[in-house]
Amino acid sequence: MRPQSRVSDLVSALRPPPRLVDWSILAVVLFETVSGLVSFTIGTPDGWPLFWAHRIAGLTLIFLLGYKLARVRYRLTDSTQWRPTTALSVVTLLAAVGSLATGIVWVAGVDVRLAYWTLLSVHVGFGLVLVPLVVAHLTTRFRRPTRQDFHRRRTTIKYTGLLLGGAVLYRAQTFVNEVLDTHGSDRRFTGSQPRPGDGNEAFPVTSWVADDPDPIDREAWSLSVRGAIDTPLSLSYDEVSPESEREALLDCTSGWYTVQRWRGIRVGDLLETAEPDDDAAYVRFVSVTGYRWSLPIEEAREALLATHVGEEALSHGHGGPIRLIAPGRRGFQWVKWVERVEVRRQSDPAQWVVTLVSGFE
Ligand SMILES: Nc1nc2c(c(=O)[nH]1)N[C@H]1C(S)=C(S)[C@@H](COP(=O)(O)O)O[C@H]1N2
Ligand SMILES: [Mo]
Protein backbone atom coordinates (compact mmCIF):
# COMPACT_ATOMS: atom_id res chain seq x y z
CA MET A 1 0.00 0.00 0.00
CA ARG A 2 1.21 3.52 -0.74
CA PRO A 3 1.83 5.59 2.39
CA GLN A 4 -0.62 8.19 1.17
CA SER A 5 -3.53 5.77 1.09
CA ARG A 6 -2.49 4.45 4.51
CA VAL A 7 -2.89 7.94 5.91
CA SER A 8 -6.26 8.38 4.27
CA ASP A 9 -7.35 4.95 5.54
CA LEU A 10 -6.34 5.99 9.03
CA VAL A 11 -8.19 9.27 8.72
CA SER A 12 -11.32 7.44 7.49
CA ALA A 13 -11.05 4.99 10.36
CA LEU A 14 -11.20 7.89 12.81
CA ARG A 15 -14.44 9.24 11.36
CA PRO A 16 -17.18 9.48 13.98
CA PRO A 17 -20.78 8.71 12.94
CA PRO A 18 -22.33 11.55 10.85
CA ARG A 19 -24.47 13.05 13.60
CA LEU A 20 -21.50 13.09 15.94
CA VAL A 21 -19.40 14.84 13.30
CA ASP A 22 -21.90 17.70 13.27
CA TRP A 23 -21.99 18.00 17.03
CA SER A 24 -18.23 17.66 17.27
CA ILE A 25 -17.86 20.62 14.92
CA LEU A 26 -20.13 22.64 17.20
CA ALA A 27 -18.18 21.52 20.27
CA VAL A 28 -14.85 22.45 18.70
CA VAL A 29 -16.15 25.83 17.53
CA LEU A 30 -17.41 26.60 21.04
CA PHE A 31 -14.15 25.44 22.59
CA GLU A 32 -12.17 27.56 20.16
CA THR A 33 -14.30 30.60 20.93
CA VAL A 34 -13.96 30.25 24.68
CA SER A 35 -10.27 29.34 24.64
CA GLY A 36 -9.56 32.10 22.13
CA LEU A 37 -11.31 34.75 24.22
CA VAL A 38 -9.77 33.55 27.49
CA SER A 39 -6.34 33.54 25.82
CA PHE A 40 -6.72 37.32 25.43
CA THR A 41 -6.28 37.62 29.18
CA ILE A 42 -3.11 35.53 29.37
CA GLY A 43 0.22 37.30 29.20
CA THR A 44 2.65 35.12 31.14
CA PRO A 45 4.27 31.97 29.74
CA ASP A 46 2.73 29.64 32.33
CA GLY A 47 -0.51 30.07 30.38
CA TRP A 48 0.88 28.26 27.31
CA PRO A 49 -1.29 25.10 27.57
CA LEU A 50 -4.40 27.06 26.63
CA PHE A 51 -2.79 28.34 23.42
CA TRP A 52 -1.67 24.84 22.50
CA ALA A 53 -5.10 23.40 23.21
CA HIS A 54 -6.61 26.10 20.97
CA ARG A 55 -4.23 25.26 18.11
CA ILE A 56 -4.57 21.50 18.37
CA ALA A 57 -8.35 21.47 18.75
CA GLY A 58 -8.62 24.01 15.93
CA LEU A 59 -6.69 21.78 13.55
CA THR A 60 -9.00 18.82 14.24
CA LEU A 61 -11.55 20.91 12.34
CA ILE A 62 -9.66 20.02 9.17
CA PHE A 63 -10.64 16.38 9.67
CA LEU A 64 -14.14 17.10 10.90
CA LEU A 65 -14.90 19.50 8.04
CA GLY A 66 -13.41 16.97 5.62
CA TYR A 67 -15.74 14.21 6.86
CA LYS A 68 -18.65 16.55 6.74
CA LEU A 69 -17.93 17.83 3.22
CA ALA A 70 -17.36 14.34 1.85
CA ARG A 71 -20.85 13.52 3.06
CA VAL A 72 -22.76 16.64 1.98
CA ARG A 73 -20.80 17.79 -1.05
CA TYR A 74 -23.56 16.62 -3.40
CA ARG A 75 -25.97 19.07 -1.75
CA LEU A 76 -23.79 21.92 -2.93
CA THR A 77 -22.73 20.66 -6.33
CA ASP A 78 -26.11 19.29 -7.44
CA SER A 79 -28.47 22.22 -8.03
CA THR A 80 -31.59 20.05 -7.68
CA GLN A 81 -30.52 19.65 -4.03
CA TRP A 82 -30.51 23.36 -3.27
CA ARG A 83 -32.81 24.47 -0.47
CA PRO A 84 -33.34 27.86 1.16
CA THR A 85 -31.01 26.72 3.94
CA THR A 86 -28.22 25.90 1.51
CA ALA A 87 -27.12 29.55 1.51
CA LEU A 88 -26.74 29.43 5.28
CA SER A 89 -24.70 26.26 4.97
CA VAL A 90 -22.40 27.85 2.42
CA VAL A 91 -21.88 30.98 4.53
CA THR A 92 -21.17 28.80 7.57
CA LEU A 93 -18.64 26.81 5.58
CA LEU A 94 -16.94 29.99 4.36
CA ALA A 95 -16.66 31.34 7.90
CA ALA A 96 -15.25 28.03 9.12
CA VAL A 97 -12.71 27.85 6.31
CA GLY A 98 -11.91 31.54 6.81
CA SER A 99 -11.14 31.19 10.49
CA LEU A 100 -9.12 28.01 9.98
CA ALA A 101 -7.16 29.43 7.07
CA THR A 102 -6.36 32.73 8.80
CA GLY A 103 -5.28 30.82 11.91
CA ILE A 104 -2.99 28.52 9.93
CA VAL A 105 -1.53 31.32 7.83
CA TRP A 106 -0.91 33.30 11.02
CA VAL A 107 1.02 30.40 12.53
CA ALA A 108 3.18 30.41 9.39
CA GLY A 109 4.24 33.92 10.39
CA VAL A 110 2.59 35.74 7.49
CA ASP A 111 2.00 39.37 8.40
CA VAL A 112 -0.34 40.98 5.90
CA ARG A 113 -3.08 43.43 6.78
CA LEU A 114 -6.63 43.60 5.54
CA ALA A 115 -7.61 47.27 5.77
CA TYR A 116 -5.90 47.92 9.08
CA TRP A 117 -6.67 44.54 10.62
CA THR A 118 -3.97 42.00 11.20
CA LEU A 119 -4.69 38.44 10.05
CA LEU A 120 -5.09 37.49 13.70
CA SER A 121 -7.86 40.06 14.14
CA VAL A 122 -9.54 38.75 10.98
CA HIS A 123 -9.25 35.26 12.46
CA VAL A 124 -11.03 36.46 15.60
CA GLY A 125 -13.71 38.11 13.45
CA PHE A 126 -14.37 34.91 11.49
CA GLY A 127 -14.51 32.97 14.74
CA LEU A 128 -17.05 35.31 16.30
CA VAL A 129 -19.42 35.12 13.31
CA LEU A 130 -18.94 31.36 13.08
CA VAL A 131 -20.58 30.66 16.44
CA PRO A 132 -24.08 31.94 15.62
CA LEU A 133 -23.78 30.51 12.09
CA VAL A 134 -22.97 27.00 13.33
CA VAL A 135 -25.77 27.17 15.88
CA ALA A 136 -28.25 28.38 13.23
CA HIS A 137 -27.02 25.78 10.75
CA LEU A 138 -27.42 23.02 13.28
CA THR A 139 -30.97 24.06 14.14
CA THR A 140 -32.01 23.86 10.46
CA ARG A 141 -30.87 20.26 10.42
CA PHE A 142 -31.22 19.33 14.02
CA ARG A 143 -30.48 15.67 14.61
CA ARG A 144 -29.61 14.51 18.07
CA PRO A 145 -26.99 11.81 18.26
CA THR A 146 -28.53 8.46 19.22
CA ARG A 147 -27.29 5.85 21.58
CA GLN A 148 -25.96 3.81 18.61
CA ASP A 149 -23.67 6.69 17.74
CA PHE A 150 -21.71 6.09 20.91
CA HIS A 151 -19.58 3.10 21.49
CA ARG A 152 -17.53 3.75 24.54
CA ARG A 153 -14.21 2.36 23.42
CA ARG A 154 -14.48 3.17 19.77
CA THR A 155 -15.65 6.73 20.43
CA THR A 156 -12.80 7.36 22.86
CA ILE A 157 -10.23 5.96 20.45
CA LYS A 158 -11.57 8.04 17.58
CA TYR A 159 -11.55 11.33 19.47
CA THR A 160 -8.13 10.63 20.92
CA GLY A 161 -6.97 9.90 17.39
CA LEU A 162 -8.45 13.14 16.08
CA LEU A 163 -6.76 15.20 18.78
CA LEU A 164 -3.48 13.42 18.07
CA GLY A 165 -4.04 14.24 14.42
CA GLY A 166 -4.45 17.91 15.33
CA ALA A 167 -1.27 17.77 17.41
CA VAL A 168 0.65 16.13 14.55
CA LEU A 169 -0.56 18.80 12.14
CA TYR A 170 0.51 21.57 14.51
CA ARG A 171 3.89 19.96 15.07
CA ALA A 172 4.28 19.57 11.30
CA GLN A 173 3.57 23.25 10.83
CA THR A 174 6.06 24.37 13.46
CA PHE A 175 8.59 21.99 11.89
CA VAL A 176 8.05 23.62 8.50
CA ASN A 177 8.45 27.03 10.18
CA GLU A 178 11.82 25.95 11.55
CA VAL A 179 13.06 24.34 8.35
CA LEU A 180 12.02 27.24 6.11
CA ASP A 181 12.96 29.72 8.84
CA THR A 182 9.68 31.60 8.41
CA HIS A 183 8.63 34.39 10.76
CA GLY A 184 6.28 31.83 12.27
CA SER A 185 9.09 30.70 14.56
CA ASP A 186 9.61 34.25 15.93
CA ARG A 187 6.18 34.22 17.49
CA ARG A 188 5.74 34.46 21.21
CA PHE A 189 3.81 31.69 23.03
CA THR A 190 0.73 33.91 22.57
CA GLY A 191 1.25 33.81 18.80
CA SER A 192 2.27 37.47 18.68
CA GLN A 193 4.95 38.58 16.22
CA PRO A 194 7.86 40.80 17.25
CA ARG A 195 8.08 44.53 16.57
CA PRO A 196 11.76 45.32 17.10
CA GLY A 197 13.37 48.71 17.77
CA ASP A 198 13.09 51.41 20.42
CA GLY A 199 10.79 54.34 20.96
CA ASN A 200 7.48 55.63 19.65
CA GLU A 201 8.06 54.62 16.05
CA ALA A 202 9.02 51.03 16.78
CA PHE A 203 5.52 49.67 17.40
CA PRO A 204 1.99 50.37 16.19
CA VAL A 205 -0.56 52.69 17.75
CA THR A 206 -3.52 50.51 18.64
CA SER A 207 -6.94 50.88 20.18
CA TRP A 208 -8.76 47.99 21.81
CA VAL A 209 -12.02 48.96 20.15
CA ALA A 210 -12.88 52.58 19.44
CA ASP A 211 -10.95 54.82 21.85
CA ASP A 212 -9.47 57.80 20.02
CA PRO A 213 -9.25 61.01 22.09
CA ASP A 214 -7.92 64.35 20.89
CA PRO A 215 -4.31 65.08 21.80
CA ILE A 216 -3.94 66.12 25.42
CA ASP A 217 -2.48 69.48 26.42
CA ARG A 218 0.26 68.64 28.92
CA GLU A 219 -0.09 72.07 30.57
CA ALA A 220 -3.79 71.58 31.26
CA TRP A 221 -3.50 67.91 32.19
CA SER A 222 -3.04 66.59 35.71
CA LEU A 223 -2.89 63.21 37.37
CA SER A 224 -5.10 62.72 40.39
CA VAL A 225 -4.86 59.99 42.99
CA ARG A 226 -7.93 59.38 45.12
CA GLY A 227 -10.15 56.77 46.73
CA ALA A 228 -9.27 54.67 49.77
CA ILE A 229 -6.25 56.79 50.74
CA ASP A 230 -5.29 59.30 53.41
CA THR A 231 -3.74 61.91 51.15
CA PRO A 232 -5.39 62.70 47.82
CA LEU A 233 -2.90 63.95 45.24
CA SER A 234 -3.02 66.01 42.12
CA LEU A 235 0.14 66.25 40.06
CA SER A 236 0.86 68.44 37.07
CA TYR A 237 2.98 67.03 34.26
CA ASP A 238 6.10 68.69 35.68
CA GLU A 239 5.39 67.30 39.14
CA VAL A 240 5.43 63.72 37.87
CA SER A 241 9.10 62.93 38.27
CA PRO A 242 9.96 60.17 35.83
CA GLU A 243 12.68 58.54 37.90
CA SER A 244 11.86 54.88 37.52
CA GLU A 245 12.82 52.91 34.48
CA ARG A 246 12.09 49.37 33.50
CA GLU A 247 12.01 47.11 30.50
CA ALA A 248 8.63 45.58 29.79
CA LEU A 249 6.96 43.63 27.03
CA LEU A 250 3.73 44.91 25.50
CA ASP A 251 1.77 42.08 23.84
CA CYS A 252 -1.32 43.16 21.90
CA THR A 253 -4.11 40.70 21.20
CA SER A 254 -4.07 41.81 17.57
CA GLY A 255 -0.88 39.78 17.28
CA TRP A 256 2.31 41.76 17.90
CA TYR A 257 4.62 42.40 20.81
CA THR A 258 7.42 44.80 21.56
CA VAL A 259 10.01 45.10 24.31
CA GLN A 260 10.71 48.68 25.35
CA ARG A 261 12.42 50.61 28.12
CA TRP A 262 9.71 52.64 29.78
CA ARG A 263 10.39 55.52 32.14
CA GLY A 264 7.99 57.17 34.56
CA ILE A 265 6.77 56.97 38.10
CA ARG A 266 6.38 53.70 40.00
CA VAL A 267 2.80 53.33 41.15
CA GLY A 268 4.22 52.07 44.46
CA ASP A 269 5.96 55.43 44.96
CA LEU A 270 2.72 57.31 44.26
CA LEU A 271 0.88 55.10 46.74
CA GLU A 272 3.51 55.65 49.40
CA THR A 273 2.74 59.36 49.29
CA ALA A 274 -1.01 58.78 49.04
CA GLU A 275 -1.09 56.31 51.99
CA PRO A 276 -3.72 53.71 51.08
CA ASP A 277 -6.15 52.48 53.76
CA ASP A 278 -5.47 49.06 55.27
CA ASP A 279 -8.34 47.46 53.37
CA ALA A 280 -7.38 48.91 49.98
CA ALA A 281 -7.26 46.00 47.55
CA TYR A 282 -7.24 47.32 43.99
CA VAL A 283 -5.89 50.25 42.04
CA ARG A 284 -7.92 51.47 39.10
CA PHE A 285 -6.36 53.41 36.25
CA VAL A 286 -8.77 55.66 34.40
CA SER A 287 -8.17 57.24 31.00
CA VAL A 288 -9.41 60.66 29.89
CA THR A 289 -11.83 58.65 27.72
CA GLY A 290 -13.26 56.71 30.66
CA TYR A 291 -11.45 53.52 29.55
CA ARG A 292 -10.17 51.85 32.71
CA TRP A 293 -8.50 48.82 34.22
CA SER A 294 -7.77 47.69 37.79
CA LEU A 295 -4.85 45.76 39.18
CA PRO A 296 -4.61 44.10 42.60
CA ILE A 297 -2.79 46.58 44.81
CA GLU A 298 0.37 44.49 45.26
CA GLU A 299 0.71 44.08 41.50
CA ALA A 300 -0.11 47.76 40.97
CA ARG A 301 2.79 48.84 43.20
CA GLU A 302 5.19 47.24 40.74
CA ALA A 303 3.50 48.82 37.73
CA LEU A 304 4.71 52.02 36.15
CA LEU A 305 2.97 55.14 34.92
CA ALA A 306 5.22 55.94 31.98
CA THR A 307 5.87 59.34 30.46
CA HIS A 308 8.72 58.07 28.26
CA VAL A 309 9.47 55.18 25.95
CA GLY A 310 13.03 54.56 24.81
CA GLU A 311 14.62 57.99 25.05
CA GLU A 312 11.50 59.84 23.93
CA ALA A 313 8.49 61.44 25.59
CA LEU A 314 5.49 59.22 24.96
CA SER A 315 3.63 60.30 21.82
CA HIS A 316 -0.09 61.00 21.88
CA GLY A 317 -0.88 57.76 20.04
CA HIS A 318 0.98 55.70 22.60
CA GLY A 319 -0.90 57.27 25.51
CA GLY A 320 0.95 60.48 26.34
CA PRO A 321 1.23 62.31 28.69
CA ILE A 322 1.10 59.12 30.75
CA ARG A 323 0.15 55.48 30.35
CA LEU A 324 0.09 52.35 32.44
CA ILE A 325 2.86 49.78 32.06
CA ALA A 326 1.53 46.51 33.48
CA PRO A 327 4.17 43.80 32.95
CA GLY A 328 2.72 40.33 32.38
CA ARG A 329 -0.65 41.77 31.32
CA ARG A 330 -1.93 41.87 27.76
CA GLY A 331 -1.86 45.18 25.90
CA PHE A 332 -5.52 46.10 26.34
CA GLN A 333 -4.92 46.40 30.08
CA TRP A 334 -2.14 48.99 29.61
CA VAL A 335 -4.44 52.01 29.93
CA LYS A 336 -3.35 54.99 27.81
CA TRP A 337 -3.95 58.70 28.53
CA VAL A 338 -4.34 58.08 32.28
CA GLU A 339 -5.70 61.00 34.31
CA ARG A 340 -6.93 59.27 37.46
CA VAL A 341 -5.61 56.62 39.82
CA GLU A 342 -8.29 55.30 42.18
CA VAL A 343 -7.47 53.15 45.16
CA ARG A 344 -10.39 50.83 45.82
CA ARG A 345 -11.62 48.12 48.13
CA GLN A 346 -13.34 46.11 45.38
CA SER A 347 -12.56 44.74 41.99
CA ASP A 348 -14.32 46.24 38.99
CA PRO A 349 -16.13 43.70 36.78
CA ALA A 350 -17.72 46.52 34.74
CA GLN A 351 -14.28 47.33 33.31
CA TRP A 352 -14.79 44.47 30.82
CA VAL A 353 -17.75 46.28 29.31
CA VAL A 354 -16.30 49.77 29.63
CA THR A 355 -13.18 48.91 27.62
CA LEU A 356 -15.36 47.52 24.82
CA VAL A 357 -17.71 50.49 24.55
CA SER A 358 -15.36 53.34 25.41
CA GLY A 359 -14.97 55.66 22.45
CA PHE A 360 -18.49 55.09 21.09
CA GLU A 361 -20.66 58.18 21.45
N1 LIG B 1 -7.48 54.40 26.93
C1 LIG B 1 -7.09 53.36 26.16
N2 LIG B 1 -6.00 52.66 26.48
C2 LIG B 1 -5.59 51.61 25.72
C3 LIG B 1 -6.34 51.21 24.58
C4 LIG B 1 -7.51 51.94 24.27
O1 LIG B 1 -8.21 51.64 23.30
N3 LIG B 1 -7.86 53.01 25.08
N4 LIG B 1 -5.91 50.15 23.81
C5 LIG B 1 -5.11 49.15 24.52
C6 LIG B 1 -4.53 48.16 23.63
S1 LIG B 1 -5.58 47.03 22.95
C7 LIG B 1 -3.20 48.03 23.45
S2 LIG B 1 -2.54 46.73 22.64
C8 LIG B 1 -2.28 49.07 23.90
C9 LIG B 1 -1.60 49.59 22.67
O2 LIG B 1 -0.68 50.55 22.99
P1 LIG B 1 0.04 51.35 21.82
O3 LIG B 1 -1.04 52.04 21.04
O4 LIG B 1 0.97 52.25 22.51
O5 LIG B 1 0.75 50.34 20.96
O6 LIG B 1 -2.93 50.12 24.56
C10 LIG B 1 -4.01 49.78 25.38
N5 LIG B 1 -4.47 50.95 26.07
MO1 LIG C 1 -4.33 45.44 21.80
Side-chain angles (χ1 to χ4, degrees), residues 203-213 250-254 256 258 262 286-292 314-315 317-319 323-324 330-338 355 358:
F203 58 105
V205 165
T206 310
S207 277
W208 177 229
V209 181
D211 245 15
D212 184 21
L250 168 57
D251 185 341
C252 172
T253 50
S254 70
W256 55 267
T258 189
W262 310 90
V286 188
S287 171
V288 296
T289 63
Y291 191 103
R292 64 186 200 229
L314 212 54
S315 68
H318 287 309
R323 79 168 311 162
L324 177 64
R330 295 302 289 274
F332 71 92
Q333 295 156 333
W334 293 38
V335 182
K336 301 197 277 192
W337 313 294
V338 173
T355 52
S358 174

Side-chain angles (χ1 to χ4, degrees), residues 183-250:
H183 286 297
S185 29
D186 306 340
R187 294 173 315 130
R188 212 177 165 234
F189 75 95
T190 57
S192 292
Q193 302 170 353
R195 293 291 176 268
D198 304 315
N200 287 303
E201 295 304 315
F203 58 105
V205 165
T206 310
S207 277
W208 177 229
V209 181
D211 245 15
D212 184 21
D214 290 332
I216 294 159
D217 177 5
R218 282 183 164 73
E219 301 300 308
W221 173 91
S222 66
L223 178 70
S224 73
V225 184
R226 43 164 109 153
I229 54 175
D230 277 354
T231 321
L233 307 174
S234 177
L235 305 176
S236 70
Y237 186 74
D238 293 331
E239 286 166 339
V240 177
S241 41
E243 281 167 354
S244 298
E245 199 178 23
R246 69 173 295 175
E247 197 176 78
L249 184 154
L250 168 57

